[in-house]
Amino acid sequence: MKINTIILPLLLLGVTSQSHASQEMLTNGNFEKELAHWWVAGTSVSVNNAEACATISSAGSNPWDVILGHANIGLAQGNDYHISFEAKANIPTQVKTLIQHEGPPYTHYFVTQTKLAPEWQSYSYEFNQELPNDAGAEFQFQMGAQKEAVVCVKNVSINGEPYVEDRSVSPLRVNQVGFLPLADKKAFFASDSSEPLRWKLLDSNGINIDMGRTIPFGFNKASGEMVHHIDLSYLKTEQQGLKLKIDDIESFTFDISPSIYAEMKHDALSYFYQNRSGIEIDAKYVQRNNLARPAGHPSDVVSCFDKTDAWGNKWPGCDFEIDVTGGWYDAGDHGKYTVNSGITTWTLLNLYERGIWLDHVDVPFPDGSVQIPENNNGVNDLLDEARWNIEFMLSMQIPEGKKVFAPVGNQSASEKLSLSEIDASNLVFHKIADESWTGIPLAPHQDKENRHVGQPSTAATLNVAAIGAQCARIWKSIDSAFSQQCLKAAENAWKAANNNPEIYAYNNFLGSGPYDDLELADEFYWAAAELFITTGEKHYQDEVENSPLHLDTPKGNIETTGDIFWQYTSPLATLSLALVPNKLDKSQINQARKNIISTAKAYQEQVSKEGYAIPYSVEEYPWGSNSNLANRGIFLIYGYDYSGDVAFIKAAANGMDYILGGNPLNISYVTGYGQYSVEQPHHRFWANVASDSFPKPAPGALIGGPNSTSFSDPIASGMQGNCIGQTCFVDKIGAWTMNEITINWNAPLVWLTTALDEGNLDI
């Protein structure tokens, strides 16, 4: 019998350390593979003839505002290292050359100012690592806070004895929280053995209560390992503290209980209150006192960006200010984005509407059940939380008669733009964010950066049209004035979007993400559908029925773009049309439900093909892969709602098993849940790893998870080629392409845990 402990080079668990003989420590230091293994911030970098050139149009106010960097530099205490490179600039300037720890507190191990001239010059530096070993250092050229210039480097090298950490992962993996009584209950064991292996089941006292043999699955492509299954689905009675054992390897403990998700759904919803902008976070509404904080951006009154962007485009600003106080911070930073707000708010409101319109489902989160300031106000608490963001979205709508400059037409991928002054009446600003990225740690009330709205976009405008319509019908009998406000904003936004159908998002200042989208047919369909459901008006119905995306649902294929997210919203329309009473022919509503069942079936059929028994077969794991898995759970639950097939709801639970520890990294991706859960989400306030004066993350935040498609953050840049699929993850605060948390990822976690807590797999 052969049992292997799987070694995954980028997960910190059971650390041993070692150094190696002197060698080249940079990968692709000669740029033969363009920018592979390098990362860039605040500028554009092109590679030609093995030379990397940064065009610096907006240098910012700090050296770190513009960076060309390389991660995974392991330094061993007492060792000598040699740095060399060639560099030039089109004008005399200087850059900061340094090696530092890859995250807070950014300890400098080597730093010097390198003066550059218009001719190529060679540079060489030596240093000794006097401080303790660090396997997580990074090399940087910091080029901010200098002159506008073109800086070029080539033949970059660091030579020495690299220090590395071997990070071993237990081969025995299981959902560390537990299973619902009638759910499938699979644990997983990684081993090259082709023969079944003997396992034991221990109770909470360590007494052996059962035994059996594993079921060899074979090769799991998504993790690159051979996997065995342990099927405990026959266990249906409530039990606590169970543990599996194979030889001397024990699993984390797990329960069998109908209340697995009862607390988790509340913590997942609390995420939104705790990431509110414009309001004090009160200790009496959060899980720990140190999660309380003063209000961030209590007066978010801003104007349009009015400076030169990183691509050299001069933005003229606008002659008015707009009050966009409130809403939710999008992710770990302090930006707020209309398009990400849209799908997030829709998901929460859809969960409420499901409770309203399906007889077998209770309305979730009744008044007084959630710890927020608005509880006990006579309104469902889920709606109270959603309204905080709806009001922000409405505030992003531009008043009548105002003009702004924006790129019109397909220019979002261009560095140089042609800006046009347009009548922006009732268009919606795409984002509000800091002018420059802030550091970690930083509480929202400590943010001193200038803030701007960027520009309006058609996508943002259609998001307000869709959410405004959804709001109008829900609040009609709750708050008629607010309902009318929502409907007016929605109809005005619809008209404005149709008058300006090609204004695309552009990342015109550094302290924010682009959230760009060049395909807007789905947003037009979604907005028209929500307006049609709410108003019943014929012209909206015509838009719905004539859309090429009418009754669209994901196909359940291996394309990572096949799951709903902020850039693919047409299935939201189909879900609403299938659920909420409307004037479509009954045959069309039935077809919408059939399409949803078809998608659910495509997802459910993937469970048997995956080593970790999840409804998720994809070629690559994208940014936010865990949220894709949670969003698939929404379709699986609706598939169950419309067919009664319990296999769909079991598949949704299988997805949660993976998220909560039944995965090749043996880690729970929800903060605070499981014996080994993520602790370092990319978040400026939940940043205890950076400073003891900041709190650890609140429980109930869903981490983005494995990402094998984007290696653009400083830590991930060194992982390319060293991981595949489900193993491209590390729990480090600076690894934002993997360890980010966002509102649109936590919304499906709220939705799915709430649905799984309804009791359909309990008896």
Coordinates of all heavy atoms in Angstrom, one line a residue, residues 320 322 324 338 392-408 420-431 453 455-465 488-504 520 524:
F320 N -19.8 69.8 -11.5 CA -20.8 69.6 -10.4 C -20.2 68.5 -9.5 O -19.4 67.7 -9.9 CB -22.2 69.2 -11.0 CG -22.2 67.9 -11.7 CD1 -22.5 66.7 -11.1 CD2 -21.9 67.8 -13.1 CE1 -22.5 65.5 -11.8 CE2 -21.9 66.6 -13.8 CZ -22.2 65.5 -13.2
I322 N -21.5 65.3 -6.7 CA -22.5 64.3 -6.5 C -22.3 63.7 -5.1 O -21.2 63.3 -4.7 CB -22.6 63.3 -7.6 CG1 -23.9 62.5 -7.6 CG2 -21.4 62.5 -7.7 CD1 -24.2 61.7 -8.8
V324 N -22.6 60.6 -3.0 CA -22.8 59.2 -3.1 C -22.5 58.5 -1.8 O -21.9 57.4 -1.8 CB -22.0 58.6 -4.3 CG1 -22.5 59.1 -5.6 CG2 -20.5 59.0 -4.1
T338 N -21.0 50.4 -9.4 CA -22.4 50.2 -9.7 C -22.7 48.8 -10.2 O -23.6 48.2 -9.8 CB -22.9 51.3 -10.6 OG1 -22.5 52.5 -10.1 CG2 -24.4 51.2 -10.8
F392 N -27.6 53.9 -2.4 CA -26.3 54.4 -3.0 C -26.4 54.3 -4.5 O -26.0 55.2 -5.3 CB -25.2 53.5 -2.5 CG -24.0 53.4 -3.4 CD1 -23.2 54.5 -3.5 CD2 -23.8 52.3 -4.2 CE1 -22.1 54.5 -4.4 CE2 -22.7 52.3 -5.1 CZ -21.9 53.4 -5.2
M393 N -26.9 53.2 -5.1 CA -27.0 53.0 -6.5 C -27.8 54.2 -7.2 O -27.4 54.7 -8.2 CB -27.6 51.7 -6.9 CG -26.7 50.5 -6.5 SD -27.4 48.9 -7.1 CE -27.2 49.0 -8.8
L394 N -28.9 54.5 -6.5 CA -29.7 55.6 -7.1 C -29.0 56.9 -7.0 O -29.1 57.8 -7.9 CB -31.0 55.7 -6.3 CG -32.0 54.5 -6.3 CD1 -33.3 54.8 -5.5 CD2 -32.3 54.0 -7.7
S395 N -28.2 57.1 -6.0 CA -27.4 58.4 -5.9 C -26.3 58.5 -7.0 O -25.9 59.6 -7.2 CB -26.8 58.5 -4.5 OG -25.6 57.6 -4.4
M396 N -26.0 57.4 -7.6 CA -25.0 57.5 -8.7 C -25.5 57.9 -10.0 O -24.8 58.1 -11.0 CB -24.3 56.1 -8.8 CG -23.5 55.6 -7.7 SD -21.9 56.5 -7.6 CE -20.9 55.5 -8.7
Q397 N -26.8 58.1 -10.1 CA -27.5 58.6 -11.3 C -27.3 60.1 -11.5 O -27.4 60.9 -10.5 CB -29.0 58.3 -11.3 CG -29.7 58.4 -12.6 CD -31.0 57.7 -12.6 OE1 -31.8 57.8 -11.6 NE2 -31.4 57.1 -13.8
I398 N -26.9 60.5 -12.6 CA -26.5 61.9 -12.9 C -27.8 62.7 -13.1 O -28.7 62.3 -13.8 CB -25.6 62.0 -14.2 CG1 -24.3 61.2 -13.9 CG2 -25.3 63.4 -14.5 CD1 -23.4 61.0 -15.2
P399 N -27.8 63.9 -12.5 CA -29.0 64.7 -12.6 C -29.3 65.2 -14.0 O -28.4 65.2 -14.8 CB -28.7 65.9 -11.6 CG -27.7 65.4 -10.7 CD -26.9 64.4 -11.5
E400 N -30.5 65.6 -14.2 CA -30.9 66.1 -15.5 C -30.1 67.4 -15.9 O -29.8 68.2 -15.0 CB -32.4 66.5 -15.5 CG -33.4 65.4 -15.4 CD -33.7 64.8 -16.8 OE1 -33.1 65.3 -17.8 OE2 -34.4 63.8 -16.9
G401 N -29.7 67.4 -17.2 CA -29.1 68.6 -17.7 C -27.6 68.7 -17.5 O -26.9 69.7 -17.9
K402 N -27.0 67.7 -16.8 CA -25.5 67.7 -16.6 C -24.8 67.1 -17.8 O -25.2 66.1 -18.4 CB -25.2 67.0 -15.3 CG -25.8 67.6 -14.1 CD -25.3 69.0 -13.8 CE -25.8 69.6 -12.6 NZ -25.4 71.0 -12.4
K403 N -23.6 67.7 -18.0 CA -22.7 67.1 -19.1 C -21.4 66.6 -18.5 O -20.9 67.2 -17.6 CB -22.5 68.2 -20.1 CG -23.7 68.7 -20.9 CD -23.3 69.7 -22.0 CE -24.6 70.1 -22.8 NZ -24.2 71.1 -23.9
V404 N -20.9 65.5 -19.1 CA -19.6 65.0 -18.7 C -18.9 64.5 -19.9 O -19.4 64.4 -21.0 CB -19.8 63.8 -17.7 CG1 -20.6 64.2 -16.5 CG2 -20.5 62.6 -18.4
F405 N -17.6 64.3 -19.7 CA -16.8 63.7 -20.8 C -16.6 62.2 -20.6 O -16.4 61.8 -19.5 CB -15.4 64.4 -20.8 CG -15.4 65.8 -21.4 CD1 -15.7 66.9 -20.7 CD2 -15.0 65.9 -22.7 CE1 -15.7 68.1 -21.2 CE2 -15.0 67.2 -23.3 CZ -15.4 68.3 -22.5
A406 N -16.7 61.5 -21.7 CA -16.6 60.0 -21.6 C -16.2 59.5 -22.9 O -16.4 60.1 -24.0 CB -18.0 59.4 -21.3
P407 N -15.5 58.3 -22.9 CA -15.2 57.7 -24.2 C -16.4 57.0 -24.8 O -17.0 56.2 -24.1 CB -14.1 56.7 -23.8 CG -14.4 56.4 -22.4 CD -15.0 57.6 -21.8
V408 N -16.8 57.4 -26.0 CA -18.0 56.8 -26.6 C -17.5 55.8 -27.7 O -16.7 56.2 -28.5 CB -18.9 57.9 -27.2 CG1 -20.1 57.3 -27.9 CG2 -19.3 58.9 -26.1
S420 N -15.5 62.5 -25.5 CA -16.6 63.4 -26.0 C -17.4 63.9 -24.9 O -17.7 63.2 -23.9 CB -17.4 62.6 -27.0 OG -16.7 62.0 -28.0
E421 N -17.8 65.2 -25.0 CA -18.7 65.7 -24.0 C -20.1 65.3 -24.4 O -20.6 65.5 -25.6 CB -18.6 67.3 -24.0 CG -19.4 67.9 -22.8 CD -19.3 69.4 -22.7 OE1 -19.1 70.0 -23.7 OE2 -19.3 69.9 -21.6
I422 N -20.9 64.8 -23.5 CA -22.2 64.2 -23.7 C -23.2 64.8 -22.7 O -22.8 65.2 -21.6 CB -22.2 62.7 -23.7 CG1 -21.8 62.2 -22.3 CG2 -21.3 62.1 -24.8 CD1 -22.0 60.7 -22.1
D423 N -24.5 64.8 -23.1 CA -25.5 65.1 -22.2 C -25.7 63.8 -21.4 O -26.1 62.8 -21.8 CB -26.8 65.4 -23.0 CG -28.0 65.6 -22.0 OD1 -27.8 65.5 -20.8 OD2 -29.1 65.9 -22.5
A424 N -25.3 63.9 -20.1 CA -25.3 62.7 -19.2 C -26.6 62.5 -18.4 O -26.6 61.7 -17.5 CB -24.1 62.8 -18.3
S425 N -27.6 63.2 -18.7 CA -28.9 63.2 -17.9 C -29.3 61.7 -17.7 O -29.5 61.0 -18.7 CB -30.0 63.9 -18.6 OG -29.6 65.3 -18.8
N426 N -29.4 61.3 -16.4 CA -29.9 60.0 -16.0 C -29.0 58.8 -16.4 O -29.4 57.7 -16.1 CB -31.3 59.8 -16.6 CG -32.3 60.7 -16.0 OD1 -32.4 60.9 -14.8 ND2 -33.0 61.4 -16.9
L427 N -27.8 59.1 -16.9 CA -26.8 58.1 -17.0 C -26.3 57.8 -15.6 O -26.5 58.6 -14.7 CB -25.7 58.4 -17.9 CG -25.9 58.4 -19.4 CD1 -24.8 59.0 -20.2 CD2 -26.2 57.0 -19.9
V428 N -25.5 56.8 -15.4 CA -25.1 56.4 -14.0 C -23.6 56.3 -14.0 O -23.0 55.6 -14.9 CB -25.8 55.1 -13.6 CG1 -25.2 54.7 -12.2 CG2 -27.3 55.2 -13.5
F429 N -23.0 56.9 -13.0 CA -21.5 56.8 -12.8 C -21.2 55.3 -12.6 O -21.8 54.6 -11.8 CB -21.0 57.6 -11.7 CG -20.9 59.1 -12.1 CD1 -21.7 60.0 -11.4 CD2 -20.0 59.5 -13.1 CE1 -21.6 61.4 -11.8 CE2 -19.9 60.9 -13.4 CZ -20.7 61.8 -12.8
H430 N -20.0 54.9 -13.1 CA -19.6 53.5 -13.1 C -19.0 53.2 -11.7 O -19.2 52.1 -11.2 CB -18.6 53.2 -14.1 CG -18.3 51.8 -14.4 ND1 -19.2 51.0 -15.2 CD2 -17.3 51.0 -14.1 CE1 -18.7 49.8 -15.3 NE2 -17.6 49.7 -14.6
K431 N -18.3 54.1 -11.1 CA -17.7 53.8 -9.8 C -17.4 55.1 -9.0 O -17.4 56.2 -9.6 CB -16.3 53.1 -10.1 CG -15.3 54.0 -10.9 CD -14.1 53.2 -11.2 CE -13.1 54.0 -12.0 NZ -11.9 53.2 -12.4
V453 N -15.7 60.2 -8.8 CA -16.4 59.3 -9.7 C -15.7 59.3 -11.0 O -15.1 60.3 -11.4 CB -17.9 59.8 -9.9 CG1 -18.7 59.4 -8.7 CG2 -18.0 61.2 -10.2
Q455 N -16.6 58.0 -14.6 CA -17.3 58.4 -15.8 C -18.6 57.6 -15.8 O -18.7 56.5 -15.1 CB -16.6 58.0 -17.0 CG -16.3 56.5 -17.1 CD -15.8 56.1 -18.5 OE1 -14.7 56.2 -18.8 NE2 -16.7 55.5 -19.3
P456 N -19.6 58.0 -16.5 CA -20.8 57.1 -16.6 C -20.5 56.0 -17.6 O -19.6 56.0 -18.4 CB -21.9 58.1 -17.2 CG -21.1 59.1 -17.9 CD -19.8 59.3 -17.2
S457 N -21.3 54.9 -17.5 CA -21.2 53.8 -18.4 C -22.6 53.3 -18.7 O -23.5 53.4 -17.9 CB -20.3 52.7 -17.9 OG -21.0 52.0 -16.9
T458 N -22.8 52.7 -19.9 CA -24.0 52.1 -20.2 C -24.4 51.0 -19.3 O -25.5 50.8 -18.9 CB -24.0 51.7 -21.7 OG1 -23.7 52.8 -22.5 CG2 -25.4 51.2 -22.1
A459 N -23.3 50.2 -19.0 CA -23.6 49.0 -18.1 C -24.1 49.4 -16.8 O -25.0 48.8 -16.2 CB -22.3 48.2 -18.0
A460 N -23.4 50.4 -16.2 CA -23.9 50.9 -14.9 C -25.3 51.4 -14.9 O -26.1 51.2 -14.0 CB -22.9 52.0 -14.4
T461 N -25.6 52.1 -16.0 CA -27.0 52.7 -16.2 C -28.0 51.6 -16.2 O -29.1 51.7 -15.6 CB -27.0 53.6 -17.4 OG1 -26.0 54.6 -17.3 CG2 -28.3 54.3 -17.5
L462 N -27.7 50.5 -16.9 CA -28.7 49.4 -17.1 C -28.8 48.6 -15.7 O -29.8 48.1 -15.4 CB -28.2 48.5 -18.2 CG -28.4 49.0 -19.6 CD1 -27.6 48.2 -20.6 CD2 -29.9 49.1 -20.0
N463 N -27.7 48.6 -14.9 CA -27.8 48.0 -13.6 C -28.8 48.7 -12.7 O -29.6 48.1 -12.0 CB -26.4 47.9 -13.0 CG -25.7 46.7 -13.3 OD1 -25.6 45.7 -12.4 ND2 -25.1 46.6 -14.4
V464 N -28.8 50.1 -12.8 CA -29.7 50.8 -12.0 C -31.1 50.6 -12.6 O -32.1 50.6 -11.8 CB -29.3 52.3 -12.0 CG1 -30.5 53.2 -11.5 CG2 -28.1 52.5 -11.1
A465 N -31.3 50.5 -13.9 CA -32.6 50.2 -14.4 C -33.1 48.9 -13.9 O -34.3 48.8 -13.6 CB -32.5 50.2 -16.0
K488 N -39.0 55.4 -11.0 CA -38.6 56.6 -11.8 C -37.1 56.5 -12.2 O -36.8 56.8 -13.4 CB -38.9 57.9 -11.0 CG -38.5 59.2 -11.8 CD -38.8 60.4 -11.0 CE -38.4 61.7 -11.8 NZ -38.7 62.9 -11.0
A489 N -36.3 56.2 -11.3 CA -34.8 56.1 -11.6 C -34.6 55.0 -12.7 O -33.8 55.1 -13.6 CB -34.1 55.8 -10.3
A490 N -35.3 53.9 -12.5 CA -35.2 52.7 -13.4 C -35.6 53.1 -14.8 O -34.9 52.8 -15.8 CB -36.0 51.5 -12.9
E491 N -36.8 53.8 -15.0 CA -37.3 54.1 -16.3 C -36.4 55.2 -17.0 O -36.1 55.1 -18.2 CB -38.7 54.5 -16.2 CG -39.6 53.4 -15.8 CD -41.1 53.6 -16.0 OE1 -41.6 54.7 -15.5 OE2 -41.8 52.8 -16.7
N492 N -35.9 56.1 -16.2 CA -35.0 57.2 -16.7 C -33.7 56.5 -17.1 O -33.1 56.9 -18.1 CB -34.8 58.3 -15.7 CG -36.0 59.2 -15.5 OD1 -36.9 59.2 -16.4 ND2 -36.1 59.9 -14.4
A493 N -33.2 55.6 -16.3 CA -32.0 54.9 -16.7 C -32.1 54.1 -18.0 O -31.2 54.1 -18.8 CB -31.5 54.0 -15.5
W494 N -33.3 53.5 -18.1 CA -33.5 52.7 -19.4 C -33.4 53.6 -20.6 O -32.8 53.3 -21.6 CB -34.8 52.0 -19.3 CG -35.2 51.3 -20.6 CD1 -36.1 51.8 -21.5 CD2 -34.7 50.1 -21.1 NE1 -36.2 50.9 -22.5 CE2 -35.4 49.9 -22.3 CE3 -33.8 49.1 -20.6 CZ2 -35.1 48.7 -23.1 CZ3 -33.6 48.0 -21.4 CH2 -34.2 47.8 -22.6
K495 N -34.1 54.7 -20.5 CA -34.1 55.7 -21.6 C -32.7 56.2 -21.9 O -32.2 56.3 -23.0 CB -35.0 56.8 -21.4 CG -36.5 56.4 -21.3 CD -37.4 57.6 -20.8 CE -38.8 57.2 -20.7 NZ -39.7 58.3 -20.1
A496 N -32.0 56.5 -20.8 CA -30.6 57.1 -21.0 C -29.7 56.0 -21.6 O -28.8 56.4 -22.4 CB -30.1 57.5 -19.6
A497 N -29.8 54.8 -21.2 CA -28.9 53.7 -21.8 C -29.2 53.5 -23.2 O -28.3 53.3 -24.0 CB -29.1 52.4 -21.0
N498 N -30.5 53.6 -23.6 CA -30.8 53.4 -25.0 C -30.4 54.6 -25.9 O -30.1 54.5 -27.0 CB -32.3 53.2 -25.2 CG -32.7 51.8 -24.9 OD1 -32.7 50.9 -25.8 ND2 -33.1 51.5 -23.6
N499 N -30.3 55.8 -25.2 CA -29.8 57.0 -25.9 C -28.3 57.0 -26.0 O -27.7 57.6 -26.9 CB -30.3 58.3 -25.2 CG -31.7 58.5 -25.4 OD1 -32.4 58.1 -26.4 ND2 -32.3 59.2 -24.5
N500 N -27.6 56.2 -25.2 CA -26.2 56.1 -25.1 C -25.7 54.7 -24.9 O -25.2 54.3 -23.9 CB -25.6 56.9 -23.9 CG -26.0 58.4 -24.0 OD1 -25.3 59.2 -24.6 ND2 -27.1 58.8 -23.4
P501 N -25.9 53.8 -26.0 CA -25.7 52.4 -25.8 C -24.3 51.9 -25.9 O -24.0 50.7 -25.6 CB -26.5 51.8 -27.0 CG -26.4 52.9 -28.1 CD -26.4 54.2 -27.3
E502 N -23.3 52.8 -26.1 CA -21.9 52.4 -26.2 C -21.0 53.3 -25.4 O -20.0 53.8 -26.0 CB -21.5 52.4 -27.7 CG -22.2 51.3 -28.5 CD -21.6 51.3 -30.0 OE1 -21.8 52.3 -30.7 OE2 -21.0 50.3 -30.3
I503 N -21.3 53.5 -24.2 CA -20.3 54.1 -23.3 C -19.8 53.0 -22.4 O -20.5 52.5 -21.5 CB -20.9 55.2 -22.4 CG1 -21.6 56.3 -23.3 CG2 -19.9 55.9 -21.6 CD1 -22.3 57.4 -22.6
Y504 N -18.5 52.7 -22.6 CA -17.9 51.5 -21.9 C -17.0 52.0 -20.8 O -16.4 53.1 -20.8 CB -17.1 50.6 -22.9 CG -18.0 50.1 -24.0 CD1 -17.9 50.6 -25.3 CD2 -18.9 49.1 -23.7 CE1 -18.7 50.1 -26.3 CE2 -19.7 48.6 -24.7 CZ -19.6 49.1 -26.0 OH -20.4 48.6 -27.0
L520 N -23.0 44.1 -24.0 CA -24.1 44.7 -23.1 C -25.4 44.2 -23.5 O -26.4 44.6 -22.9 CB -24.1 46.2 -23.2 CG -22.7 46.9 -22.8 CD1 -22.9 48.4 -22.8 CD2 -22.3 46.5 -21.4
F524 N -29.0 44.8 -21.3 CA -30.2 45.3 -21.9 C -31.4 44.3 -21.7 O -32.5 44.8 -21.3 CB -30.0 45.6 -23.4 CG -29.4 46.9 -23.7 CD1 -28.1 47.1 -24.1 CD2 -30.2 48.1 -23.6 CE1 -27.6 48.3 -24.3 CE2 -29.7 49.3 -23.8 CZ -28.3 49.5 -24.2

